[in-house]
Amino acid sequence: MMHEPPKLRFATYWENRPILLNYAFRILGSREAAEDVVQEAYIRFSTQDRATEPTHLKAYLFRIVHNLALNSSKRRRYERDQLRRDVPDWGLPAAALTPEDVLLFAEKVRGAMQIVEDLPKEQRQALELHRYSGHSMKEVARRLGVSERKAYRLAQAALATVALQLRGQTQEDPPPE
């Protein structure tokens, strides 16, 4: 059994500290968390019982950092999962939209509006009355002067056309299976 003086332990720690920080950082993904783990490792390393002195101090120090980093990572993941379980979806912060996301969304909306605008007149009217204005099919049929069944078919055809064109297809192309 070797009994290194405390100075040897500190020298081993200090010499390897930058490497230990990088090692812990790779496991944790956070410089701050890596600092905490390396400091905790030094406390454990320096106060370890001298009766069970390891023969390879550097390897022992790395093992302490490794175990503490893994424990910390597991704990952080568990806490994050618990937070998500405790908060309903609507309570979580929404992802911030980038200007590109806003622009793409606006282009999609303009495209959808153009598709609706290009629908045959009766289909467009049936869709607008039923989906946008909230009228019943009976009311749509009365306003268009067609049967209720025909009003339903017009609205259904309009929805199908819009859906297919939004996916980049024309009404003549069969949908992919």
Side-chain angles (χ1 to χ4, degrees), residues 31-117:
R31 202 41 94 180
E32 184 178 287
E35 285 277 353
D36 291 343
V37 162
V38 171
Q39 288 175 11
E40 176 68 24
Y42 175 69
I43 291 169
R44 291 183 184 200
F45 180 65
S46 66
T47 59
Q48 190 246 345
D49 181 21
R50 303 283 190 241
T52 58
E53 191 73 30
T55 54
H56 301 288
L57 289 177
K58 182 177 176 181
Y60 181 62
L61 181 57
F62 269 87
R63 177 53 58 193
I64 294 171
V65 169
H66 178 81
N67 290 342
L68 288 173
L70 288 180
N71 290 346
S72 177
S73 178
K74 287 177 190 175
R75 183 175 47 254
R76 287 174 44 206
R77 193 173 324 119
Y78 174 77
E79 289 170 355
R80 187 176 52 245
D81 291 347
Q82 285 303 113
L83 176 64
R84 289 193 182 200
R85 281 191 207 120
D86 294 343
V87 177
D89 290 342
W90 53 265
L92 294 173
L97 294 177
T98 64
E100 292 83 12
D101 293 334
V102 172
L103 182 61
L104 286 173
F105 179 74
E107 287 177 7
K108 286 180 183 180
V109 169
R110 275 193 293 279
M113 290 171 61
Q114 187 60 50
I115 292 169
V116 170
E117 201 59 39

Side-chain angles (χ1 to χ4, degrees), residues 7-19:
K7 288 182 181 178
L8 180 59
R9 284 180 177 259
F10 180 76
T12 303
Y13 163 76
W14 194 252
E15 179 182 319
N16 293 288
R17 188 173 184 279
I19 300 166

Side-chain angles (χ1 to χ4, degrees), residues 152-167:
Y152 178 78
R153 285 186 184 149
L154 288 169
Q156 190 176 32
L159 283 172
T161 301
V162 170
L164 287 171
Q165 288 188 12
L166 284 175
R167 288 196 323 224

Side-chain angles (χ1 to χ4, degrees), residues 125-138:
Q125 288 175 332
L127 178 70
E128 289 173 345
L129 288 170
H130 182 63
R131 290 293 177 146
Y132 301 156
S133 300
H135 294 289
S136 68
M137 277 301 167
K138 186 178 247 181

